[in-house]
Amino acid sequence: MKKACTHCLLILLVLLTVVGCAHHLPVAPETRPEIYAPADWQQNPLAPLFLAYGSRKGRNRIGRPTARVRAEGRTDVFVDAGHPAVYTRRLPFDTARGRYVNHIYRVHFADIPFSLVPFNLAAGKNVGLIVIITADESGRPLLVTSVQTCGCYHAIVPTDYLPRDAYPAGYSRKALWVFGEKLPWRLAYRGVQRPRLLVSLRPDVHRVMHLEVVDARRVPAAYRVIPMPVEDLSALEHLQAGGGSTSFYYSSGLLKDFVKGSVKPWESLLLSLPSLDLFVGTDKVYDPARPTPNRFYTSLVPWRQQASDMRHFAAFLKFWGWGL
């Protein structure tokens, strides 16, 4: 049994290495790229901006989770790429060291297309991305956490406000490699007069391909800014449909609290055995204030999934070595 588990983990590592490197490809420059910004971004110094490369394609635009009732009475859920929205929540948490606030931002895309070259392991519909900015009681950003709404490809990047003794042991001052994507080892907020986090998104797969801090004063001239209505995370559970409403998530059964229509067939086929999760890679609810048996784990290794659950943020940070 132990030998079989070892073989499964080796297969998993090979798959993740191949898939991770497959998308580290050059992105064609654009003359005036589109930036999706929360509607309050000018007043809110912690509001992230999302740089959407390849936005001429609908799948690369941030959309709004939407429901429609078909003629036969069936309700469909999809992401409307023509009407962007961002879903947010501010959640405080405590550690032995102090009190902090997570500023949660969740966005969604219509799909990740099927492709063999490069191989899109995460091909599927209604996919999304979460960016969390962890601030201290003074409102200074300390950490930026990014993760797909399936719990995949998470990254934790400190800012120059984070004390050095809060870094993981052996943390290197070199670029972070997150399954083929190169991210900075630290984000420099100090010295920027009106700092805003800029999150660059890789076309088609919607992975975070770069993080940087920019001056808000220079954004309108360099980018085409698309404002996004800001809604609470709970709005995803009350999508208007006909004369009523429906949830973006399944409400019962094996798929309870997973995003409707977001099962990833390739991930289920190739990674369900190593992860011991039939619906590995399927996008899901993320609301730490809402009870659910559906763990938002960030490690595929079965015996590490509970400890890496991002809903329990203080424990999640401790698991990955951060000393807040």
Side-chain angles (χ1 to χ4, degrees), residues 92-98 100 102 134 143 145 154 156 168 286 288 295-299 303-324:
F93 69 96
D94 297 298
T95 71
R97 187 164 181 163
Y100 307 94
N102 273 346
T134 302
L143 291 172
T145 302
H154 91 278
I156 304 172
Y286 180 73
R295 292 180 300 197
F296 201 94
Y297 61 81
T298 53
S299 173
W303 52 88
R304 301 174 72 187
Q305 290 175 7
Q306 182 172 350
S308 70
D309 188 341
M310 211 171 80
R311 294 177 307 158
H312 310 292
F313 206 79
F316 158 79
L317 289 178
K318 184 178 180 181
F319 174 79
W320 291 110
W322 297 92
L324 257 62

Side-chain angles (χ1 to χ4, degrees), residues 23 59 111-125 204-205 265-266:
H23 301 301
R59 68 167 55 98
D111 71 323
I112 293 175
F114 171 74
S115 171
L116 284 176
V117 182
F119 179 48
N120 283 350
L121 179 69
K125 297 181 178 179
D204 296 339
V205 294
W266 283 110

Side-chain angles (χ1 to χ4, degrees), residues 14-26:
V14 171
L15 282 170
L16 290 179
T17 300
V18 171
V19 173
C21 295
H23 301 301
H24 194 61
L25 303 172

Side-chain angles (χ1 to χ4, degrees), residues 16-17 19-25 153 176-183 202 207-209:
L16 290 179
T17 300
V19 173
C21 295
H23 301 301
H24 194 61
L25 303 172
Y153 309 123
L176 302 178
W177 287 93
V178 183
F179 295 104
E181 300 295 353
K182 186 179 180 181
L183 304 181
R202 185 169 292 281
R207 294 268 308 278
V208 175
M209 59 180 286

Side-chain angles (χ1 to χ4, degrees), residues 86-90 229-237 287:
V86 58
Y87 299 86
T88 73
R89 179 75 59 82
R90 296 183 183 183
V230 178
E231 301 193 29
D232 189 81
L233 282 176
S234 61
L236 289 167
E237 303 191 55
D287 185 348

Side-chain angles (χ1 to χ4, degrees), residues 249-285:
Y249 313 107
Y250 293 104
S251 57
S252 61
L254 288 175
L255 287 168
K256 178 177 171 58
D257 291 334
F258 285 103
V259 172
K260 292 176 179 176
S262 74
V263 173
K264 310 287 180 51
W266 283 110
E267 292 199 67
S268 290
L269 176 65
L270 298 173
L271 297 180
S272 60
L273 181 59
S275 65
L276 299 184
D277 182 0
L278 180 60
F279 302 113
V280 60
T282 302
D283 299 80
K284 62 186 77 171
V285 67

Side-chain angles (χ1 to χ4, degrees), residues 176-242:
L176 302 178
W177 287 93
V178 183
F179 295 104
E181 300 295 353
K182 186 179 180 181
L183 304 181
W185 73 274
R186 188 177 68 178
L187 291 163
Y189 273 81
R190 296 177 187 268
V192 181
Q193 189 168 346
R194 293 185 62 198
R196 294 296 185 275
L197 176 69
L198 179 60
V199 182
S200 297
L201 305 175
R202 185 169 292 281
D204 296 339
V205 294
H206 319 306
R207 294 268 308 278
V208 175
M209 59 180 286
H210 188 52
L211 295 169
E212 61 182 304
V213 178
V214 298
D215 193 317
R217 298 171 301 173
R218 301 176 182 175
V219 168
Y223 306 97
R224 178 174 171 242
V225 179
I226 301 174
M228 296 186 289
V230 178
E231 301 193 29
D232 189 81
L233 282 176
S234 61
L236 289 167
E237 303 191 55
H238 305 282
L239 306 181
Q240 292 185 354

